Structure formats: structure tokens, C-alpha cells
Amino acid sequence: MPMKGVRKPNDSQEKRGKQAFRRTINNRNEEHPNSEKELGQLEGNTIVGKHHKVAVITLVERLSKYIITIKPDGHRTSDVESSLNNWLYTLPRHTFQSIIF
């Protein structure tokens, strides 16, 4: 009986789903070397859940290691941006100096 489907060679690697222009966390220290020495520098990440249904924004203050989590309304960029802006508008203007994503 003939085989159905196409077989892959043993040394083939998966090429789908790779992000071409991805930055790693290790590169952040090289780009912003003084961010761990000053109070008010935030480091942000977005964590996307299973099946891309929900997302969580995490902000860490670099000097004190204080963690802030924000749950946006959705997982799209506009949802994340609006929830982050709404949270920042509730704080005094000069609470944080910068946010590094």
C-alpha cells in the first residue's frame, strides 16, 4: 500500500512561527544601562494566554523590583495600550520616568 502524505527528511527543522525581529530581555540592559540605578524606571512585558484569548501586562520597577500587573480588556495592541494609558492617568504625572518594553 502506498504511503499517504509527505514524509519529512530526518534532519529537517520547523521553519514556521519564528519571529524575525525579536528582542530578548538580555538586550534591555545593553540598551538602557542606567535603568537599574534610578528610581522610577519601569520594565514592561505582555504575557499572552493559551489560544491567544487573554493577555496580562506586567510592569516591574527596576530598582525596587515592585511588580504591577494590569489585565487589559483584550489581547490586541489597542486594548493593551488603552488599559495601560488608563492606569497611567490615575497616577501623578512624575511618578515614573520611563517604561521599557
Side-chain angles (χ1 to χ4, degrees), residues 47 53-58 68-75 79-80 82-84 87:
I47 302 169
K53 296 289 182 184
V54 294
V56 175
I57 304 167
T58 59
I68 303 158
T69 58
I70 303 168
K71 185 176 184 286
D73 295 332
H75 67 281
D79 299 331
V80 171
S82 65
S83 63
L84 191 60
W87 178 75

Side-chain angles (χ1 to χ4, degrees), residues 58-73:
T58 59
L59 299 170
V60 179
E61 205 283 318
R62 299 288 302 255
L63 186 63
S64 67
K65 305 298 184 203
Y66 184 75
I67 299 173
I68 303 158
T69 58
I70 303 168
K71 185 176 184 286
D73 295 332

